[in-house]
Amino acid sequence: MLNPRAKYDNIVQYMEKMMKEALAQAELALAMGEVPVGAIIEKDGEIIGRGHNRTETMKDPTAHAEILAIKEAAAKLGGWRLLGCTLYVTTEPCSMCAGAIVLARLAKVVIGTKDPKAGACGSILNIIENPRLNHRPEVVFGIMEEDCRRIMQDFFTLLRKKKSEDTIL
């Protein structure tokens, strides 16, 4: 099989292309009024899973971008082991999602921005690289970090503004 990354000058350009796909998923979440987190799963240059937060829409606390992308990728591959797959996610996964990443045996996780309040890939916990677990994917932080951080900051700034306006009325 041809190397799908060969048309890129370097791996960072390739990771930025994939993170743009995850950001497009975050934009979908934003348009729905959801916390704007997006995720995609790639294997051999093909996107096999996509997800964006839908916890409010689905009334499901597990409907996080990463979980939805993992489910779609597993269905596409016909099994729960996502060996050789890379997850691109705009914001650092929470403990639930970090656990799912380990259980799904993802090879690599590329994270746009850290989550200092709930991040479980190094910010407040580090489930994903815990040496006591049987699988530890490679982790890369900071791909398109500013774009990923900005969409989250803008969402929460707008949410706080809306809440303060609602209390005034």
Side-chain angles (χ1 to χ4, degrees):
M1 178 175 186
L2 293 174
N3 182 354
R5 298 175 182 134
K7 63 184 171 186
Y8 297 93
D9 289 337
N10 60 48
I11 191 67
V12 173
Q13 283 182 331
Y14 183 79
M15 288 190 287
E16 286 174 351
K17 175 188 183 278
M18 291 297 165
M19 189 60 77
K20 285 178 184 172
E21 294 290 333
L23 273 165
Q25 290 295 308
E27 292 285 349
L28 292 174
L30 182 63
M32 298 170 71
E34 296 276 359
V35 174
V37 177
I40 62 108
I41 295 177
E42 170 265 330
K43 182 176 175 74
D44 299 327
E46 178 188 355
I47 296 173
I48 60 169
R50 298 176 191 269
H52 55 276
N53 275 2
R54 289 191 272 169
T55 55
E56 299 296 333
T57 307
M58 296 175 75
K59 308 289 187 242
D60 179 353
T62 69
H64 288 201
E66 303 92 326
I67 300 295
L68 298 173
I70 287 169
K71 285 181 177 184
E72 187 174 296
K76 178 146 187 157
L77 293 179
W80 61 270
R81 289 180 185 89
L82 302 182
L83 303 172
C85 295
T86 300
L87 170 74
Y88 291 81
V89 60
T90 57
T91 301
E92 182 179 3
C94 69
S95 57
M96 173 184 68
C97 294
I101 289 164
V102 171
L103 292 172
R105 310 292 196 273
L106 283 152
K108 185 180 211 175
V109 180
V110 179
I111 301 166
T113 189
K114 292 189 175 213
D115 181 350
K117 294 186 178 181
C121 299
S123 287
I124 63 166
L125 297 171
N126 198 349
I127 292 170
I128 207 165
E129 293 180 313
N130 187 321
R132 291 174 289 181
L133 297 176
N134 64 339
H135 178 74
R136 286 175 300 286
E138 178 185 347
V139 180
V140 176
F141 273 101
I143 300 298
M144 297 189 67
E145 185 174 8
E146 277 302 309
D147 295 308
C148 294
R149 184 184 306 119
R150 188 176 312 110
I151 194 170
M152 290 293 279
Q153 286 176 337
D154 291 351
F155 173 79
F156 284 108
T157 298
L158 187 62
L159 189 65
R160 283 189 294 276
K161 182 180 176 188
K162 186 176 187 275
K163 282 185 179 180
S164 91
E165 287 172 359
D166 288 348
T167 57
I168 291 170
L169 299 175

mmCIF file of all heavy atoms in Angstrom, residues 23 35 120 135 148 150:
data_model
loop_
_atom_site.group_PDB
_atom_site.id
_atom_site.type_symbol
_atom_site.label_atom_id
_atom_site.label_comp_id
_atom_site.label_asym_id
_atom_site.label_seq_id
_atom_site.Cartn_x
_atom_site.Cartn_y
_atom_site.Cartn_z
ATOM 1 N N LEU A 23 -11.439 19.506 14.029
ATOM 2 C CA LEU A 23 -12.008 20.841 14.276
ATOM 3 C C LEU A 23 -13.339 21.023 13.555
ATOM 4 O O LEU A 23 -14.247 21.682 14.076
ATOM 5 C CB LEU A 23 -11.023 21.930 13.864
ATOM 6 C CG LEU A 23 -10.022 22.335 14.937
ATOM 7 C CD1 LEU A 23 -8.878 23.126 14.330
ATOM 8 C CD2 LEU A 23 -10.699 23.134 16.036
ATOM 9 N N VAL A 35 -20.706 21.495 23.866
ATOM 10 C CA VAL A 35 -19.311 21.851 24.110
ATOM 11 C C VAL A 35 -18.531 21.421 22.858
ATOM 12 O O VAL A 35 -18.616 20.268 22.431
ATOM 13 C CB VAL A 35 -18.764 21.148 25.371
ATOM 14 C CG1 VAL A 35 -17.282 21.419 25.533
ATOM 15 C CG2 VAL A 35 -19.536 21.605 26.608
ATOM 16 N N ALA A 120 -7.390 14.004 31.297
ATOM 17 C CA ALA A 120 -6.874 12.770 31.896
ATOM 18 C C ALA A 120 -5.751 12.161 31.067
ATOM 19 O O ALA A 120 -5.516 10.960 31.106
ATOM 20 C CB ALA A 120 -8.016 11.778 32.076
ATOM 21 N N HIS A 135 -1.907 -1.183 28.066
ATOM 22 C CA HIS A 135 -1.701 -0.515 26.778
ATOM 23 C C HIS A 135 -1.474 0.970 27.018
ATOM 24 O O HIS A 135 -2.179 1.594 27.813
ATOM 25 C CB HIS A 135 -2.918 -0.723 25.862
ATOM 26 C CG HIS A 135 -2.782 -0.033 24.549
ATOM 27 N ND1 HIS A 135 -1.954 -0.499 23.556
ATOM 28 C CD2 HIS A 135 -3.342 1.097 24.069
ATOM 29 C CE1 HIS A 135 -2.023 0.327 22.525
ATOM 30 N NE2 HIS A 135 -2.852 1.299 22.814
ATOM 31 N N CYS A 148 -7.698 25.083 18.500
ATOM 32 C CA CYS A 148 -8.447 24.200 19.398
ATOM 33 C C CYS A 148 -8.789 24.901 20.710
ATOM 34 O O CYS A 148 -9.896 24.754 21.229
ATOM 35 C CB CYS A 148 -7.650 22.924 19.656
ATOM 36 S SG CYS A 148 -7.434 21.893 18.179
ATOM 37 N N ARG A 150 -9.022 28.204 21.139
ATOM 38 C CA ARG A 150 -9.903 29.341 20.871
ATOM 39 C C ARG A 150 -11.377 28.925 20.778
ATOM 40 O O ARG A 150 -12.241 29.596 21.332
ATOM 41 C CB ARG A 150 -9.485 30.048 19.576
ATOM 42 C CG ARG A 150 -10.229 31.352 19.346
ATOM 43 C CD ARG A 150 -9.766 32.130 18.112
ATOM 44 N NE ARG A 150 -8.313 32.249 18.035
ATOM 45 C CZ ARG A 150 -7.558 31.624 17.128
ATOM 46 N NH1 ARG A 150 -8.091 30.831 16.223
ATOM 47 N NH2 ARG A 150 -6.244 31.785 17.121
#
